[in-house]
Amino acid sequence: MKTIGVVTSGGDAPGMNAAIRAITRIAHSKGLEVLGFERGWDGLLTNTYKRLTPRNVGGIIQLGGTMLHTLRCPEFEKPEGVEQAAETLELNDVEGLIVIGGDGSFRGALDLSRKSETLMVGIPATIDNDVYGTDETVGFDTAVNTAVSSIDKIRDTAVSHERIFIVEVMGRKRGFLALEVGISVGAEVILVPENECKLEEIIAIVKENTRKGKRAGIIVAAEGVGDTGAIGQEIEKQTGSEVRRSILGYAQRGGSPTARSRMLAGLFAEKAVDLLCQDQGNRVVGLLHGAIISTDLEETCKKQKPLDMRLMKLAEMLAI
Ligand code: F6P
């Protein structure tokens, strides 16, 4: 193996830069050249890349986002797009490609692996933490901490005004971010798509809390549960409590990665480069029960990571 490629695809996540830096330096220490394809899969469609060196990846470990840029690339989903990307890899003699992203990026890597000789290895990096085969993705810890510090501030207003806040966090169709954030801020209610919670149940909790003298409250809702504005209005109507909604939005996706996200990026990068050096492709690296492992790419794409429902029970007990 002489040349490997790296691409960041899908939504950016804090720690992607730390992963790019680590891949580049580890690969160079093993005598490999690294091409950084720019703007996600589009870089493979247009043959746009920068040659990455230990020097030009300096000063990025602490930066959020991705120096290679990223985009959602519908052209790549077409068969012609995949063929084109395979040609680009062949043209540049790229023998291994490290794809840094989430499940959508890995589905792209799987399609590409069927048309290309290049070995594919995935590094899970998404604030959603919804990748099968890893307990944690790069960027998740940062997003959790960002959301927690915002909601701690929102609680000041909730308590002062004796209001209920429904705070919407990201996570696409999954509730990993909402659940961890909700427990960490001491939310009175956590709403996740994996656990249907009826409006009457939320209203009963709010009313009971008011009866107990708990007149302020935080409801953390995953964006995947639906219209949080409508939920908030209904709570206000049926409980008489003043309700406000706050959507944390993209602020959760940016910012300097936490030490944990940086460490994970480094450990995942080391495993990814090692796999390629051992001529192993179609793998996605991950952290399982404290160990750095890898899972088959197709399995990662097909299976759904379960949400730990015991944590929902814990959240309920902590919210009394
Ligand atoms: O996958 C990361 C994520 O931030 C999700 O939480 C969110 O639903 C989505 O990306 C937003 O996507 P876009 O950046 O395309 O608006």
Side-chain angles (χ1 to χ4, degrees):
M1 175 112 9
K2 285 202 177 74
T3 304
I4 65 168
V6 54
V7 61
T8 49
S9 158
D12 62 301
M16 279 184 164
N17 277 325
I20 294 167
R21 169 185 178 272
I23 290 165
T24 304
R25 293 189 174 176
I26 294 163
H28 271 259
S29 72
K30 294 177 188 282
L32 304 176
E33 289 291 308
V34 184
L35 307 185
F37 288 94
E38 296 180 89
R39 296 179 190 83
W41 294 118
D42 190 65
L44 282 111
L45 299 184
T46 56
N47 194 19
T48 311
Y49 64 82
K50 349 176 131 72
R51 206 166 279 277
L52 300 178
T53 67
R55 289 287 62 74
N56 68 15
V57 296
I60 64 168
I61 192 170
Q62 76 282 19
L63 302 180
T66 160
M67 68 169 285
L68 292 175
H69 306 285
T70 182
L71 55 73
R72 306 211 187 265
C73 183
E75 289 78 26
F76 180 71
E77 284 163 27
K78 299 178 192 150
E80 314 84 79
V82 178
E83 298 275 1
Q84 182 61 54
E87 277 175 34
T88 301
L89 291 171
E90 201 181 325
L91 178 75
N92 296 295
D93 295 322
V94 177
E95 291 160 273
L97 181 69
I98 299 180
V99 180
I100 307 173
D103 53 354
S105 310
F106 299 150
R107 280 194 294 277
L110 183 62
D111 290 345
L112 184 52
S113 74
R114 293 183 172 132
K115 296 283 169 198
S116 168
E117 296 287 292
T118 303
L119 302 175
M120 305 287 154
V121 174
I123 290 188
T126 160
I127 65 163
D128 302 338
N129 199 23
D130 57 350
V131 176
Y132 178 83
T134 186
D135 291 336
E136 191 174 328
T137 52
V138 172
F140 177 65
D141 181 66
T142 308
V144 169
N145 280 290
T146 302
V148 165
S149 74
S150 300
I151 298 174
D152 285 348
K153 294 183 182 96
I154 289 172
R155 197 181 273 281
D156 290 346
T157 299
V159 171
S160 303
H161 286 257
E162 299 185 303
R163 282 178 185 162
I164 306 295
F165 269 87
I166 177 157
V167 186
E168 183 180 308
V169 300
M170 280 188 165
R172 205 178 284 277
K173 294 193 174 120
R174 304 302 309 276
F176 296 96
L177 189 58
L179 182 53
E180 191 137 334
V181 168
I183 291 175
S184 305
V185 298
E188 277 62 35
V189 178
I190 301 173
L191 302 177
V192 294
E194 293 85 348
N195 180 49
E196 203 207 335
C197 179
K198 299 205 171 61
L199 192 60
E200 307 84 76
E201 291 172 46
I202 309 170
I203 286 160
I205 295 169
V206 172
K207 282 185 173 167
E208 172 61 9
N209 282 349
T210 308
R211 192 193 63 74
K212 288 188 299 201
K214 216 181 181 192
R215 295 167 60 85
I218 299 285
I219 300 172
V220 173
E223 61 179 343
V225 301
D227 185 348
T228 50
I231 298 172
Q233 278 171 12
E234 209 46 48
I235 299 170
E236 185 163 85
K237 205 162 96 193
Q238 295 197 36
T239 62
S241 297
E242 204 179 359
V243 180
R244 293 284 190 276
R245 174 176 63 149
S246 184
I247 299 177
L248 296 190
Y250 291 91
Q252 290 158 100
R253 220 161 84 177
S256 182
T258 56
R260 188 171 169 84
S261 290
R262 298 179 199 191
M263 271 302 290
L264 207 54
L267 293 167
F268 282 178
E270 182 186 35
K271 180 76 175 175
V273 175
D274 276 354
L275 285 167
L276 291 179
C277 289
Q278 293 158 16
D279 283 329
Q280 287 192 54
N282 276 28
R283 308 294 299 170
V284 177
V285 304
L287 174 79
L288 265 194
H289 314 301
I292 303 294
I293 49 94
S294 73
T295 306
D296 178 64
L297 175 62
E298 190 164 2
E299 192 183 349
T300 302
C301 294
K302 285 198 173 142
K303 292 195 178 159
Q304 250 215 352
K305 176 170 160 181
L307 189 72
D308 186 351
M309 296 315 255
R310 284 173 318 134
L311 291 179
M312 288 297 289
K313 283 265 160 260
L314 171 65
E316 271 174 40
M317 284 189 287
L318 295 176
I320 60 170

